[in-house]
Amino acid sequence: MADTSLTAYSPLVDVIAAVLAERGPMAEDLLVSVLLDGGVALDDDPEDALVGALDDGEGLLTVLVDGRWASVPALLAGRVFTHRLTAPEVEHDFLEPEPDLTLVGTLVQYAGHQRMVDGSPLVPASPQFDVETLAERGVPPELVGPSGTLLLPPGYLRGRGLSAGDVVALRITADGLLLEVDQAIHPDRVAALGHALNDELADSPDGPLELYLAMLAVCASDATLFSEPLPPVREVLAACGLEYDDEWLAPAGFDFRRWRAGVRQKTIAQRYGLDDESALAVLMILTQYERAVASHESAGAPDILDDDVVAAGFGAAVSLLVDAPVAEAVLGEMPADPQAAAALATFAESLEPKAPREARPALRWLRGKAYERLGDVAGAEAAYEAAESSDPRWSPALYELARFAGDRGDAARGLALLRRADVPPDDVLVELFERFQVEPRTDIGRNDPCWCGSGRKYKKCHLNREELTLDERASWLYQKAGLFLGDGPWRGAVMAAAQARAQFSTDNPYALIEALDDPLCADAVLFEGGAFADFVATRGALLPEDERLLAEQWLLVERSVYEIEQVRFGEGCTLRDVRTGDVHQVSERIASRVLKTGTLICARVVPAGETEQIFGGIEPVALHERDELIALLDASPDPIALISFLTRRFAPPELQNTEGDPLMRRTTATATDGTNTSPPTARTASGPPSTSTATT
């Protein structure tokens, strides 16, 4: 191992890259042995350490098809790849990486290789994550494929006299990428490349290979391939009779459509716990839905489903919708955006008259879910009631009707519907309704005067019509919003919030799951993210009038920083809003057992009938972060910005010298020749324990 990889600190990914660059691709066990012999600390689980380095590498490291580890820059050094320019590329100065420049695109993901030899940047841009960058450059999004594009400086291609149809070569050098024009092409090497790719495909019995993996494999097996310009890869593949489809490479005659259907069926079966027959039924329904939508969009026809579409096989698949997990899998595989929801509503409605009778409850339920996603709660409830009328025990429709009963505050009806649906007692909705179900009073007889003073007997007045106070129902209102958050288009926002919350929990395999239960994540999406406003607009009409008015009050309340002035153990606390000076008397049973006078917290204090309460967790705030947090709150942050700030307290501490430069721990190891070396070791640090508190 080169001394430079051990005598100075480098991240593990750089150490591994240095080893692989010197010794070439090697099996994982050999790589681990070399690293350990060189004194590199890999913690208790070397495999996890290597996987972490692979993730951190951003294209610097890769695992080849045969399982060997390789350094991508070392493997591609000196190679040259050609590409035939298109008119949009010349006009907007970008290069489409697939398939001709697939290896260049892989390498450019690593920040150290995003430049040309002349110093010009070569910037990778994704249509999903770099929308603003593409817009600034004036690149129409429809021109960018799903694998992204490589942006050159404006005028770069035309400045070299290039036009559509010209073939350019990109050579990978130590100083960056060299754009070569008018290079001699060597078609005599096409056959060798074709044979090498076929050999790799022959060793992949499970199906096609991703093109970039196949290309890396042939580069590892033949150092002479791509040392001189060949025709563009797309043209080479066609000349060799190989099949290429959306980043995948396969032998001649390969049926990509059948293969993709099989992969999708297997994925559906694993994701929803279905058997092969049920997963195939889901796939057939989804495929017909997608075809019908595509046909409708292209023809503009009013009917999304033709009369003769329900053939015998498809009809059998539709009949399996009577099994609730099948129907739920169909819904789970469909996008949650309004356009897809509108198409689903029309599809289910068009299919219902042609479907077997036993499938109609499911189709009506699907239509109801589509209406919900469109914000039409009245249409949704009517569809669920129609499903119940056709099968009074079909559980998904009963469950949705129970949600409607809960939103209206009728826990007893909600529980009755859930019990009819055989919902288990530990279901979140069952537990919620049982918690808020009002039992008859035991301190008064049935024939006694009612406690309300009406003069009527209790049995004629309030028996079985008892109501919780608004203070008691405030938590229920918050839970209703939480249920709304978990069913529909807001799930992606919650996941993004959880990822931000779990960013420093790299050693915890369950960090993301735990973050999804963190009260701050849901609350930030509800309020900073706008989901609560959507809840009020969509389902507010179902709420009892006082709860709807309370919800509208909550929309006016901002999260703030509070100083704890007094704590009433097990009862509540007195808080002073640092931003406004307002004092709040908060009812808080759980947090008041751990909060201390004089400390700072970040929270949302909301009215709740005759009291004030906290929902969405309580975050401790360090004194030195108070002003920065206030400035952030004043700027109306989005959920990710807020969560990222409040999660900084979990970040590992960073040691610095007097000049502010980072200090890294190092250990000393003795090399085989007896000399001392100082390899890098993993930093071990953890953040303070969480004090986030959910209120009850």
Side-chain angles (χ1 to χ4, degrees):
M1 184 184 299
D3 290 342
T4 56
S5 66
L6 292 178
T7 56
Y9 174 78
S10 295
L12 179 59
V13 61
D14 291 339
V15 176
I16 295 174
V19 172
L20 297 172
E22 179 182 346
R23 301 196 178 198
M26 60 176 62
E28 182 175 301
D29 56 351
L30 178 58
L31 175 60
V32 170
S33 177
V34 170
L35 292 172
L36 293 176
D37 289 345
V40 178
L42 297 178
D43 296 331
D44 296 333
D45 193 334
E47 183 178 350
D48 277 357
L50 292 188
V51 170
L54 185 66
D55 291 340
D56 294 339
E58 297 180 340
L60 180 62
L61 303 177
T62 191
V63 179
L64 300 173
V65 175
D66 60 7
R68 291 183 298 163
W69 283 65
S71 163
V72 175
L75 200 60
L76 301 183
R79 313 266 185 175
V80 58
F81 301 93
T82 60
H83 175 65
R84 192 176 301 278
L85 295 172
T86 65
E89 287 175 319
V90 175
E91 179 182 357
H92 298 287
D93 288 290
F94 68 86
L95 297 173
E96 184 71 26
E98 297 292 340
D100 299 337
L101 305 176
T102 183
L103 293 186
V104 175
T106 300
L107 182 63
V108 170
Q109 299 305 311
Y110 184 61
H113 294 268
Q114 296 173 357
R115 69 182 188 279
M116 307 296 288
V117 169
D118 60 10
S120 300
L122 184 64
V123 181
S126 163
Q128 291 180 310
F129 305 110
D130 302 300
V131 177
E132 292 183 2
T133 300
L134 292 171
E136 290 173 359
R137 285 290 306 274
V139 179
E142 62 270 14
L143 297 180
V144 182
S147 60
T149 191
L150 306 176
L151 297 176
L152 290 159
Y156 194 90
L157 296 176
R158 284 181 175 169
R160 284 151 182 75
L162 296 169
S163 58
D166 290 342
V167 175
V168 297
L170 276 180
R171 187 178 296 275
I172 300 169
T173 76
D175 298 322
L177 296 167
L178 177 63
L179 182 70
E180 300 175 343
V181 184
D182 297 329
Q183 290 293 306
I185 304 298
H186 296 261
D188 53 302
R189 297 288 288 158
V190 168
L193 176 58
H195 288 310
L197 290 172
N198 271 307
D199 288 343
E200 295 299 331
L201 290 170
D203 293 334
S204 178
D206 295 333
L209 279 176
E210 290 183 74
L211 178 63
Y212 91 97
L213 287 177
M215 296 278 285
L216 283 173
V218 299
C219 287
S221 63
D222 188 344
T224 66
L225 277 175
F226 299 109
S227 59
E228 297 296 336
L230 298 177
V233 168
R234 186 185 296 276
E235 298 171 19
V236 169
L237 299 179
C240 296
L242 295 170
E243 301 286 347
Y244 171 74
D245 189 301
D246 193 21
E247 303 183 22
W248 291 92
L249 184 68
F254 185 81
D255 190 341
F256 272 104
R257 180 179 175 183
R258 180 180 294 274
W259 172 73
R260 282 198 170 87
V263 171
R264 192 178 183 188
Q265 178 184 348
K266 184 179 296 185
T267 301
I268 290 171
Q270 293 174 345
R271 184 174 294 161
Y272 301 100
L274 303 177
D275 58 32
D276 290 343
E277 182 184 14
S278 297
L280 179 60
V282 173
L283 176 61
M284 292 178 68
I285 294 168
L286 291 171
T287 301
Q288 185 56 55
Y289 161 79
E290 291 159 2
R291 289 176 181 172
V293 170
S295 174
H296 172 70
E297 290 176 347
S298 61
D303 294 328
I304 202 167
L305 199 65
D306 296 334
D307 289 339
D308 59 351
V309 77
V310 187
F314 181 66
V318 173
S319 67
L320 289 180
L321 284 172
V322 69
D323 186 6
V326 174
E328 290 165 348
V330 169
L331 179 70
E333 290 297 297
M334 290 185 174
D337 60 271
Q339 184 176 359
L344 172 59
T346 308
F347 176 76
E349 185 176 9
S350 300
L351 182 57
E352 184 180 331
K354 310 172 181 65
R357 182 176 298 275
E358 61 269 22
R360 292 178 183 176
L363 291 170
R364 293 170 180 175
W365 172 78
L366 285 171
R367 184 152 45 96
K369 297 300 291 185
Y371 287 150
E372 275 204 78
R373 292 179 176 182
L374 291 169
D376 181 2
V377 293
E381 187 171 27
Y384 298 144
E385 289 172 344
E388 182 202 16
S389 67
S390 58
D391 185 348
R393 300 196 66 82
W394 203 71
S395 58
L398 296 174
Y399 196 91
E400 298 304 327
L401 289 173
R403 279 187 59 214
F404 274 76
D407 282 355
R408 291 190 171 97
D410 192 345
R413 171 169 164 74
L415 281 172
L417 289 164
L418 294 176
R419 287 164 182 158
R420 200 199 316 166
D422 293 326
V423 175
D426 60 349
D427 181 86
V428 61
L429 210 54
V430 173
E431 293 179 344
L432 183 65
F433 290 166
E434 287 180 341
R435 176 181 166 193
F436 290 102
Q437 185 179 22
V438 183
E439 299 293 342
R441 294 179 61 159
T442 57
D443 60 342
I444 187 172
R446 290 171 51 87
N447 294 312
D448 292 341
C450 186
W451 56 266
C452 70
S454 65
R456 303 171 66 194
K457 292 183 178 180
Y458 177 52
K459 67 181 180 182
K460 296 291 187 179
C461 189
H462 269 89
L463 180 61
N464 297 324
R465 288 186 291 275
E466 297 281 1
E467 292 183 355
L468 298 174
T469 66
L470 187 57
D471 302 37
E472 297 169 313
R473 285 183 282 122
S475 177
W476 192 3
L477 171 62
Y478 190 78
Q479 296 294 332
K480 295 172 186 179
L483 292 171
F484 174 81
L485 193 65
D487 182 36
W490 292 100
R491 287 177 295 180
V494 174
M495 181 60 70
Q499 290 170 340
R501 188 62 162 169
Q503 60 183 299
F504 298 118
S505 302
T506 55
D507 296 332
N508 180 4
Y510 305 105
L512 186 59
I513 296 175
E514 293 173 1
L516 287 169
D517 289 332
D518 191 304
L520 176 64
C521 293
D523 195 73
V525 175
L526 279 170
F527 290 91
E528 279 77 11
F532 192 80
D534 189 18
F535 164 71
V536 175
T538 303
R539 301 185 75 90
L542 301 174
L543 300 174
E545 181 65 15
D546 56 352
E547 288 187 26
R548 185 183 61 79
L549 293 174
L550 182 62
E552 292 175 351
Q553 285 182 276
W554 288 1
L555 288 173
L556 303 176
V557 177
E558 295 182 348
R559 195 182 308 270
S560 193
V561 178
Y562 298 91
E563 180 182 0
I564 302 173
E565 294 190 335
Q566 182 183 11
V567 176
R568 299 178 296 280
F569 186 84
E571 296 181 5
C573 50
T574 302
L575 306 179
R576 181 179 64 85
D577 190 330
V578 176
R579 298 163 76 191
T580 66
D582 295 339
V583 177
H584 302 268
Q585 303 295 335
V586 176
S587 297
E588 175 53 74
R589 295 194 305 273
I590 296 178
S592 63
R593 300 175 184 273
V594 295
L595 294 175
K596 302 297 181 183
T597 301
T599 57
L600 296 174
I601 62 171
C602 181
R604 287 180 50 259
V605 177
V606 296
E610 299 298 323
T611 66
E612 290 184 293
Q613 300 180 27
I614 294 177
F615 298 107
I618 296 174
E619 292 289 307
V621 178
L623 181 61
H624 69 276
E625 291 188 322
R626 178 191 61 188
D627 293 343
E628 186 181 356
L629 177 55
I630 290 174
L632 177 66
L633 295 175
D634 287 342
S636 300
D638 61 38
I640 303 303
L642 174 70
I643 292 171
S644 297
F645 184 96
L646 294 173
T647 303
R648 294 192 314 193
R649 60 192 174 93
F650 299 117
E654 294 186 1
L655 301 177
Q656 295 180 339
N657 61 19
T658 56
E659 297 179 354
D661 297 325
L663 295 176
M664 305 295 179
R665 280 193 345 173
R666 294 165 57 180
T667 60
T668 300
T670 302
T672 55
D673 60 359
T675 60
N676 287 334
T677 60
S678 298
T681 60
R683 285 180 291 175
T684 56
S686 60
S690 172
T691 55
S692 298
T693 307
T695 64
T696 59

